[in-house]
Amino acid sequence: MSPLPLLSLLPLLLFFPPCTSASATVQGANRSANDPVLQPMTMEPLERDTLFIVMETMSSDRDWRSSNPDPCVPGSSWPGIECKPGSDNLLHVTRLDFGAAPNPACRRNATFPSEVFRLPCLQSIFFFDCFKGAETNLSLPPPADGKAAAYASLQQLSLKSNPSLVGAIPSHISSLTSLLVLTLSQNQLSGAIPASISELTSLVHLDLSYNTLAGSIPSHIGRLKGLIGLDMSYNYLSGTIPPSIGQLGLLQKLDLSSNSLVGSIPENLGSLSFLVFLALSDNKLSGDFPRGIDKLQDLQYFIMDDNPMFVTLPSQLGLLASLQELRLANSGYTGSIPGSFAWLTNLTTLSLEKNRLTGGIPAGLSALGKLYHLNLSRNLLSGIVPFDVGFLDRLGNNLDLRGNSGLCYNGSESLRSIDAGVVACGDNMDNSSSMPKPLDESGGAPFLLCVFYYRLMLLMGCSFFSGDNPLVKLSP
């Protein structure tokens, strides 16, 4: 190799630490202090001092400097820290966990320690239920010449259930180029989701749920080609669902529920052939379903309650063979329940309550042997409930049909022991008003009225005939 390439590699050798490690991992007291391989190893002093700063900021469990002077050395380490030997024959911190036992507890007024990003070989950060007193921000030092390498090894950043973690997600989070898992869930983060998050092309899991994030979903989110899980639920996101989401070909979970998203579901959502979980509830979505929705053959959970859809239910939903839960409540659906729903043989839960569905209940639903929860309440359904005794016994009080005044059940199909909100057909008639009214060819409704009075007179024991007219004279 010529001298010029060696000189060009020199800055990389200087600024990228030797984080390549042997297979050994030092965690707690898993290895003996007499281990011949690890015994001569220690930490670089600057890295050890940085670690103590982080510990003193986060936890007051003990005096870490005196009780654990060599945090990576077996016998002196603590739960929640993981170290690995590097090619420089030194031990380096690779993982830090705080807040969940048996890991170190977080001090009452702990604040986020930006120094954690100075640990050169750190691969995983997990802070759970740590920031509960003083407000603090996700402080990610901006990259600078010669310092970007400090981010190079980080693969997991998980900050979860921290009610005092506030402020915006820094735009230069894109500097964490090796990040596989980014979990910033159940905090109080606000502002817009930075567009630069779409540059984290190594991401496998992105969870920003349960915050106060606003604005739109980044339009180039589809660049995260390796993404398996995407959760942005329970925020204040607005705008439409970007069509680029349909480019996430490996996606298995998509949860955008409880936001203020508008428009329709993107047509190319049907290309997410590995999708297992889809939740779009509690938004302002409307319009028709994507034509290719029946291509989601791995979909097991489709949860889309509380949207102003105001369309008919597509029969294609009955082709989703893997579906276990289908929840489409309170969304203004009209028309009938598709008979194709009887093809969903893996279905355990069907919730269609609070819509404007009409017609009868498809008889084929009674053949769904795995169904244990059925809610069709508060619709405009009518006719006889088509379920047999075995189906009714299996669902019990998990069957809700109330609020459909046109529904009734035959006396032989006993629903009396179940609080399903349906009465027997005989009890559901009000002077025959709920039953179809046949018309004769000559008299129609007047003929029925005469028959009614005829029966009434017989009950009263009165003479009904008058002259040659076999019907009562109705005039005074």
Side-chain angles (χ1 to χ4, degrees):
M1 182 179 291
S2 63
L4 185 58
L6 284 174
L7 290 174
S8 65
L9 289 173
L10 185 57
L12 298 178
L13 295 174
L14 289 174
F15 295 123
F16 280 77
C19 294
T20 304
S21 64
S23 59
T25 298
V26 183
Q27 185 176 17
N30 290 339
R31 284 190 175 269
S32 167
N34 297 320
D35 191 304
V37 176
L38 298 182
Q39 180 63 26
M41 290 187 177
T42 185
M43 295 184 68
E44 196 274 330
L46 181 59
E47 183 176 350
R48 182 171 58 240
D49 287 343
T50 301
L51 178 60
F52 281 132
I53 292 173
V54 171
M55 293 301 300
E56 290 162 358
T57 302
M58 291 294 298
S59 178
S60 58
D61 285 356
R62 67 185 79 169
D63 183 351
W64 297 99
R65 290 181 185 267
S66 60
S67 63
N68 302 82
D70 293 301
C72 280
V73 174
S76 183
S77 62
W78 60 77
I81 186 173
E82 181 178 284
C83 301
K84 291 182 180 179
S87 58
D88 57 357
N89 206 37
L90 293 174
L91 292 170
H92 298 280
V93 180
T94 57
R95 182 182 180 99
L96 284 177
D97 289 3
F98 289 89
N103 304 318
C106 299
R107 67 167 61 241
R108 180 179 178 83
N109 292 314
T111 56
F112 184 82
S114 60
E115 294 85 359
V116 73
F117 294 109
R118 298 178 189 171
L119 298 171
C121 298
L122 193 62
Q123 296 177 358
S124 178
I125 301 172
F126 187 81
F127 293 164
F128 176 78
D129 196 29
C130 280
F131 311 118
K132 299 178 289 186
E135 288 190 349
T136 187
N137 304 112
L138 174 55
S139 302
L140 178 65
D145 293 340
K147 294 184 179 179
Y151 305 148
S153 60
L154 195 64
Q155 298 178 14
Q156 177 182 1
L157 176 59
S158 295
L159 310 176
K160 188 173 182 179
S161 298
N162 298 288
S164 293
L165 184 63
V166 301
I169 301 172
S171 60
H172 51 278
I173 198 167
S174 57
S175 302
L176 304 176
T177 54
S178 297
L179 211 57
L180 301 175
V181 176
L182 177 59
T183 300
L184 303 176
S185 176
Q186 300 175 45
N187 303 302
Q188 289 294 321
L189 298 173
S190 59
I193 299 172
S196 60
I197 209 166
S198 299
E199 299 173 21
L200 296 173
T201 54
S202 296
L203 274 183
V204 173
H205 181 78
L206 175 59
D207 186 354
L208 306 178
S209 62
Y210 291 90
N211 282 287
T212 59
L213 299 170
S216 58
I217 299 172
S219 59
H220 297 297
I221 196 75
R223 293 177 179 173
L224 305 180
K225 302 293 186 183
L227 210 59
I228 293 176
L230 175 59
D231 192 343
M232 296 181 174
S233 61
Y234 291 89
N235 281 288
Y236 297 95
L237 301 177
S238 57
T240 60
I241 301 174
S244 66
I245 277 187
Q247 301 170 16
L248 303 176
L250 299 179
L251 202 63
Q252 297 180 17
K253 175 186 177 181
L254 176 59
D255 192 347
L256 303 177
S257 56
S258 296
N259 283 289
S260 296
L261 299 172
V262 299
S264 58
I265 306 172
E267 278 293 325
N268 60 357
L269 198 74
S271 62
L272 303 180
S273 56
F274 293 106
L275 203 61
V276 173
F277 182 95
L278 175 59
L280 302 173
S281 293
D282 195 17
N283 279 289
K284 299 177 182 179
L285 300 172
S286 60
D288 293 323
F289 286 79
R291 287 186 293 272
I293 197 167
D294 57 305
K295 297 178 182 178
L296 303 178
Q297 288 299 300
D298 286 345
L299 192 64
Q300 298 179 21
Y301 302 90
F302 187 12
I303 303 171
M304 197 177 165
D305 301 324
D306 302 300
N307 282 282
M309 296 295 289
F310 295 106
V311 295
T312 58
L313 291 173
S315 59
Q316 291 94 326
L317 292 177
L319 300 175
L320 301 177
S322 300
L323 208 59
Q324 297 181 24
E325 290 194 16
L326 179 58
R327 299 179 181 269
L328 303 173
N330 196 32
S331 298
Y333 292 109
T334 59
S336 60
I337 301 173
S340 62
F341 283 12
W343 304 340
L344 300 173
T345 55
N346 289 303
L347 202 63
T348 62
T349 298
L350 177 59
S351 296
L352 302 176
E353 69 269 21
K354 298 181 183 178
N355 286 296
R356 297 187 64 79
L357 298 171
T358 57
I361 300 173
L365 295 183
S366 62
L368 297 178
K370 297 181 181 179
L371 195 65
Y372 75 91
H373 183 277
L374 177 61
N375 194 337
L376 304 178
S377 64
R378 301 186 185 183
N379 279 285
L380 302 173
L381 299 173
S382 60
I384 298 174
V385 176
F387 304 137
D388 59 28
V389 174
F391 182 90
L392 299 174
D393 288 344
R394 175 156 52 86
L395 267 69
N397 290 327
N398 288 325
L399 173 65
D400 193 347
L401 304 175
R402 73 192 67 217
N404 292 281
S405 59
L407 283 180
C408 64
Y409 67 93
N410 285 333
S412 59
E413 308 287 359
S414 178
L415 274 168
R416 289 187 175 89
S417 61
I418 300 174
D419 185 19
V422 180
V423 298
C425 292
D427 298 335
N428 200 35
M429 293 183 292
D430 182 10
N431 289 333
S432 302
S433 62
S434 64
M435 300 299 290
K437 296 182 178 180
L439 299 178
D440 79 320
E441 295 180 356
S442 60
F447 174 79
L448 291 176
L449 185 61
C450 293
V451 171
F452 170 76
Y453 274 96
Y454 171 69
R455 291 176 177 173
L456 179 62
M457 296 297 289
L458 288 177
L459 289 173
M460 295 174 62
C462 300
S463 176
F464 188 71
F465 295 99
S466 175
D468 296 329
N469 187 356
L471 297 176
V472 67
K473 292 181 179 180
L474 301 179
S475 58

